[in-house]
Amino acid sequence: MSVNIYVGNLSYDMTEGKLSELFGAHGAVTSAKIITDQYSGRSKGFGFIEMKDGKEADNAIKDLNGKNVLNREMKVNIAKPKTNNWR
């Protein structure tokens, strides 16, 4: 079963390719997505990684949480399920 990982405090210079490569060192990455502003197209500073294997995802989270990448200390943890409680 795949694991969805939240990655916060990303540098605005981070690309989906670089993010995928960073997590790919720990295992198979299914997808990498950096969330962007719909009007400017600029990164919002966070994204999501999906990894196939739970053990590999856990190792990536432990290794990359707090790691300084492109002069920003990344925040990495299991993504919380999306909810629709917007008012």
Side-chain angles (χ1 to χ4, degrees), residues 9-42:
N9 201 33
L10 291 174
S11 166
Y12 296 117
D13 295 326
M14 178 63 76
T15 65
E16 290 176 351
K18 288 179 189 175
L19 193 59
S20 180
E21 187 177 310
L22 191 62
F23 279 80
H26 298 281
V29 173
T30 307
S31 68
K33 177 73 176 155
I34 293 178
I35 306 305
T36 56
D37 180 78
Q38 66 179 349
Y39 299 108
S40 69
R42 185 174 179 210

Side-chain angles (χ1 to χ4, degrees), residues 6-12 14 19 22-23 45-46 61 63-77:
Y6 167 82
V7 187
N9 201 33
L10 291 174
S11 166
Y12 296 117
M14 178 63 76
L19 193 59
L22 191 62
F23 279 80
F46 70 96
I61 291 167
D63 187 53
L64 297 174
N65 186 40
K67 186 172 184 170
N68 191 314
V69 177
L70 298 173
N71 297 318
R72 299 291 295 266
E73 193 174 293
M74 294 191 311
K75 306 294 182 212
V76 183
N77 51 48

Side-chain angles (χ1 to χ4, degrees), residues 45-63:
F46 70 96
F48 296 93
I49 294 287
E50 188 175 334
M51 295 185 76
K52 256 186 174 171
D53 183 88
K55 190 170 230 170
E56 291 173 350
D58 287 341
N59 289 336
I61 291 167
K62 286 176 188 166
D63 187 53

